Amino acid sequence: MSGLLWFVVFLLGTLVLAYQRVSLLVSTFVYGLGLLVFIWTTGTTNIVILTLLWLGLAVLVLLNINTLRIRLISRPFLRTYRRMLPSMSQTEKDALEAGTVWWDGQLFSGGPDWDKLMAATAPRLSAEEQAFLDGPCEELCRITDDWDVTHRRGDLPPHIWDYLRSKGFFAMIIPKKYGGLEFSAYAHSCVLVKLSSRSGVLASTVAVPNSLGPAELLLHYGTESQKTYYLPRLARGEEIPCFALTGPRAGSDAASIPDTGVITKGMYEGREIVGVTLNFSKRYITLAPVATVIGLAFKLLDPQRLLGGERTEYGITCALIPRHTPGVTIGRRHFPLNVPFQNGPIQGKDVFVPLDFIIGGTAMAGQGWRMLVEQLSVGRCISLPSSTTGAAKAAVFATSAYARIRRQFNVSIGQFEGVSEVMARMAGRSYIMDAARSVTAGAIDGGEKPSVPSAMLKYHLTEMARTVASDAMDVHGGKGICLGPRNYLGRAYQIVPVAITVEGANILTRSLIIFGQGAIRCHPFVLREMNAARDKDKQRGLKEFDAALFGHIGFTISNAVRSLVMALTLARFSRVPQSSTQRYFQHINRFSASFAFATDVAMLSLGGYLKKKESLSARLGDVLSNMYLASMVLKHYDNQGSQQDDLPLVEWACRSLLYQAQEQLHTFLRNFPNRFLAAFMRFFIFPRGQTYHAPSDPLGQHVVDSIFYNSQTRDRLTLGVYRTVEAGNPLGLLQEALVLADAAEPLEKRVRVEGVKTGRVTALDLPGQIQQALKAGILSETEAAVLRDYDRRVLDLINVDDFAPEEMAAVTLPAEVRSARVSSG
Ligand SMILES: Cc1cc2nc3c(=O)[nH]c(=O)nc-3n(C[C@H](O)[C@H](O)[C@H](O)COP(=O)(O)OP(=O)(O)OC[C@H]3O[C@@H](n4cnc5c(N)ncnc54)[C@H](O)[C@@H]3O)c2cc1C
């Protein structure tokens, strides 16, 4: 063999070993064997080549001797690493350790194990849960008049509050032994999907008590007596909870709350006891104006050491404070963007409560932040992702029907390419949202508490909802803008910024949380290295650090090679489940390797500074999120029985997500501060440039075709939307018109072609044209009746509301005030 051929063999051998993640020991053995074969077959005596090759083997052998490796490499490196390691507060540690690592960890590995994801059972509703959706949920939607709630009343009417309490809507997460419904995460999510398709106020009101708040905290940390007192009362709706963390000075930086609880002696119910004196000012608290019990977060201080310990500062603590406790001011309301769910401020001045008001008692003093972050992941995966998915589904359901029945230029507006492009985007994004919320809820039901995915879902699903709501408004034109009982979009559009802001405002979540938490939590080696570096037992720490460091080096090399090979071959040979969607699995494999490699280079070169470079970590977070969402789409498709008709949606979703992943990686490299390293990474990540394309126009058209007509794909995509055909439910009436359009459209066309175009029909409006077409024999009596009925329904649906000037005031003023204003003005 020639020298060149040997070089190629050596290179390929190295690539295969690295690609397959072969261990250092085996790699050394293979290298040694190859060296012997090379010398034996070539008989080379070239001293330079031989020296280099033997030197290579010597290095590999030395690296296999642990004690030598530790002394020469790991120990000096650990010293530098300790200096570079950013200090971490307990609050940050708690946040990092909260929840579990799930599919996010696989994506960080550079070689996700698809069998694990695909083997997970699909989420299913129990008979009882399905009955709740078909019964109380359906009925609740029927009796809710969103216009009355949002415009006239500024609140849910009393009979709806009663219905919510009596049917257990506030008790979905409370176990049956306390009188709750004990629903699965998936069922909980489906309830919110349905409610939000009807009314944002309804969904927000139900979401909060079932998310992070008193019930959840009591369940996990409450004392037995707190549980037995409060949980049955919460389940029966006798107590309405709220949870108060945010204040004027502490929003996103919630751990900096200045609210205090000082351990003091004081009088309570006629007796002197040791208790807590609270002073606090909270705002934006959902349900506060109507709450009977406040879950309160404050910083606990014990200056007189009355708790018996050495400490005077305990940190964030949570307590349950009854509404009527002296010193509490509660009841005023904020006005969140014309979607007036109950939300308002709470102040407390020298509020004295017993110690057993602390959730979990004094044993949990100072544990508040850990409690909050530990429990945040589950609620954050469900409340906002489900509510926004419901709203997006409703928008797609309504918009596709409206775009079919609304004609301009004698064509359904949905048939214009421009409108169709927007509708494809809406449908594709709604599919992604539905996939992400249901598969992740299934994972929660399987025992996971996915922390990083909860941040990804929160950010991406609320952002997608924002675009879906905007797109729906655009397609509806003036119909979406004029508010009134006939408007089914305006309030959903108005509530979107609320979802963007709460549970971790979106800019912060994208810039700081997703990648920041993911990189440490999900990376197979980083947390191990950090813990080893902080280990008080230096010897044990050094050994563990050495193992993690060399695992990490091998991991990085392997991911670089995997990224290069898969980018060159477009991942065609990467092993994935065999299916009609296998190419998308393969592309995720490729991006996973590229992402893992880029992450390591960024962390190694920027260290703690990466935390400050928020735009870079946000982009890496986007890559991770796009891969996560695409994985959820593939699993969801499989969960729904791989219906061929849904393939355009799956393809649109995966293409747009993976295209985004590619573009974010590209932008990350363009902005990477060290240009040499950026070029180095680019060689391994984009050796052929950016080869991945966004969804094509024809694919978008296929997506629209699958929802523009009454079809099973449309039903699956919009499953859960409140679509009962009845007066007052525009969504049901739109669906009815969509079905009727199949019969009416050919008749309308006949009138146009045989009547209008030939001059036999001259009327300008459809009713007149129908009349003339009937006389001219173009339509039969029956056909004319079908078309008239359809036209009447369509007109009813495209009409908007108008109001007398005095009706425009949200609060009807007394007649004398109105007349005084009119006469003076
Ligand atoms: C309708 C509504 C209901 C709510 N319900 C509750 C409730 O029930 N209980 C409760 O305790 N709280 C509640 N909140 C509070 C909510 O969680 C906070 O609004 C949220 O934490 C953001 O705080 P802020 O509004 O003060 O914004 P700020 O913290 O002032 O943030 C302003 C902007 O700066 C960005 N930002 C901040 N820090 C960073 C950073 N490091 N990097 C990048 N960007 C950053 C944010 O993303 C945001 O875009 C509610 C809020 C609203 C509006």
Side-chain angles (χ1 to χ4, degrees), residues 491-512:
R491 295 303 192 210
Y493 176 76
Q494 288 176 321
I495 204 174
V496 165
V498 174
I500 301 287
T501 301
V502 301
E503 291 195 8
N506 273 12
I507 300 178
L508 166 106
T509 301
R510 173 173 180 255
S511 316
L512 212 63

Side-chain angles (χ1 to χ4, degrees), residues 94-275:
D94 286 343
L96 274 178
E97 283 161 15
T100 57
V101 175
W102 181 56
W103 185 246
D104 39 332
Q106 291 291 327
L107 294 170
F108 257 95
S109 75
D113 180 353
W114 290 104
D115 291 341
K116 267 196 183 147
L117 181 67
M118 302 317 278
T121 42
R124 292 264 178 274
L125 296 170
S126 68
E128 190 188 344
E129 292 165 344
Q130 186 64 58
F132 187 81
L133 275 163
D134 296 341
C137 239
E138 200 52 30
E139 175 64 5
L140 179 59
C141 291
R142 194 185 66 74
I143 59 178
T144 302
D145 175 351
D146 197 44
W147 179 247
D148 176 57
V149 170
T150 57
H151 183 70
R152 295 200 196 98
R153 204 181 281 271
D155 189 11
L156 295 167
H159 69 279
I160 302 256
W161 280 106
D162 289 345
Y163 195 81
L164 289 169
R165 287 192 186 97
S166 65
K167 296 294 175 189
F169 278 92
F170 297 145
M172 286 191 279
I173 59 167
I174 298 179
K176 287 194 169 141
K177 67 173 179 174
Y178 296 112
L181 295 178
E182 199 175 347
F183 275 178
S184 62
Y186 181 59
H188 175 181
S189 166
C190 291
V191 169
L192 292 178
V193 164
K194 174 153 271 179
L195 300 187
S196 64
S197 75
R198 180 66 163 162
S199 158
V201 174
L202 205 51
S204 313
T205 306
V206 170
V208 168
N210 289 295
S211 187
L212 182 59
E216 179 92 47
L217 295 176
L218 282 171
L219 273 170
H220 291 94
Y221 310 102
T223 60
E224 253 339 285
S225 62
Q226 287 171 338
K227 286 185 198 173
T228 46
Y229 177 76
Y230 272 115
L231 291 174
R233 294 169 66 81
L234 287 164
R236 290 192 298 267
E238 288 166 20
E239 300 277 3
I240 299 288
C242 68
F243 189 76
L245 173 65
T246 309
R249 292 177 191 279
S252 299
D253 185 10
S256 69
I257 44 171
D259 311 291
T260 55
V262 180
I263 306 280
T264 45
K265 286 186 180 160
M267 295 303 288
Y268 187 77
E269 293 182 346
R271 283 186 309 125
E272 192 190 55
I273 57 162
V274 173

